[in-house]
Amino acid sequence: MSRVTTVLPGVLPGIRRARKEEREEISRLLGEAFMADPVSGWVFPDEEHRRIVHPRFFGVFLDAALRDGWVDVLEDHSAAALWLPVMVGETAGAGHGEDDGHDEMTEALAAADPGNERTRIVGELTALAHPMDRSHYYLPNIVAAPGRTGGGRGSALLKAVLERCDREGMPAYLEASNARSKALYERHGFVFTGRTVDLPGGPPMWPMWREPRG
């Protein structure tokens, strides 16, 4: 993947592609950003344990994006977005195919916290909800650092890739883990697919799909 840089003068730092040597810093950002997330609270009920295991758990998504997709970050590492291409049919050779990656991802998530069955449950249920009949770009995680939310960082990261989706005629997909993020995605053209991912005794997740515009 080529490097992409977007500069927002006087508003936000530039957006660029993350480098592999930045992995540890980005995994810590992901871990910190999801500490108050309701789904993470269900997967890891003990807050101290959650803080310890989070970078390893979200590092599974980060490693997949660094290997098979791309990671966009703000220059000051205050926000990041992970993207994975999911390719179906004739284009399957260009990324994850129809069944590639789901089992591997579920096993890796389970291995991030051995003995915690909820890591496997969330991986299996989100895999079942993931539409696999059309090629698309998948956004497993997008975060802003604690105390840096609400400043347009998420929207800036989304906009850069969604403009690419529109140029390429490529849909996008994600699972919103809370109502606030769901509202953000709706403002950017994502639509709830109609059936929540219901974690046993836990909060819902909203699978969301965006058709390319234009």
Side-chain angles (χ1 to χ4, degrees):
M1 292 288 181
S2 61
R3 174 176 167 144
V4 174
T5 302
T6 303
V7 178
L8 305 172
V11 181
L12 294 174
I15 297 173
R16 62 168 173 81
R17 291 289 165 82
R19 299 180 291 269
K20 290 183 178 180
E21 57 266 30
E22 297 173 293
R23 182 201 180 278
E24 295 308 312
E25 186 170 0
I26 296 170
S27 69
R28 288 195 297 270
L29 168 64
L30 290 164
E32 292 169 0
F34 277 104
M35 277 299 295
D37 183 79
V39 172
S40 280
W42 177 83
V43 178
F44 309 106
D46 181 80
E47 182 177 346
E48 196 57 39
H49 179 69
R50 188 188 321 148
R51 191 175 302 278
I52 293 169
V53 77
H54 252 190
R56 187 163 66 243
F57 181 78
F58 287 102
V60 173
F61 299 106
L62 177 58
D63 288 339
L66 287 170
R67 182 184 66 243
D68 300 320
W70 70 93
V71 179
D72 288 337
V73 294
L74 266 65
E75 288 280 3
D76 64 353
H77 289 102
S78 63
L82 284 54
W83 290 92
L84 284 164
V86 177
M87 300 301 168
V88 178
E90 294 181 1
T91 59
H96 285 302
E98 296 175 57
D99 297 315
D100 292 344
H102 277 323
D103 290 343
E104 179 183 348
M105 184 78 74
T106 298
E107 291 302 320
L109 291 173
D113 191 22
N116 182 356
E117 188 61 22
R118 292 185 176 188
T119 58
R120 182 182 298 278
I121 291 171
V122 73
E124 290 176 346
L125 291 181
T126 52
L128 286 172
H130 195 144
M132 297 301 290
D133 57 338
R134 291 173 62 192
S135 296
H136 58 275
Y137 293 144
Y138 173 43
L139 178 68
N141 306 123
I142 181 169
V143 297
R148 311 295 288 276
T149 59
R153 288 169 172 78
S155 290
L157 287 166
L158 280 171
K159 183 179 178 181
V161 177
L162 296 181
E163 288 177 349
R164 173 182 171 180
C165 288
D166 294 341
R167 289 194 304 272
E168 297 179 2
M170 182 71 77
Y173 173 76
L174 55 82
E175 301 104 2
S177 60
N178 59 73
R180 179 178 177 180
S181 64
K182 178 175 179 286
L184 169 66
Y185 302 137
E186 287 172 338
R187 292 197 295 273
H188 287 273
F190 285 88
V191 177
F192 173 44
T193 61
R195 178 174 295 182
T196 55
V197 173
D198 296 316
L199 303 172
M205 300 175 72
W206 292 269
M208 304 187 75
W209 182 268
R210 181 187 184 274
E211 288 290 339
R213 294 173 174 174

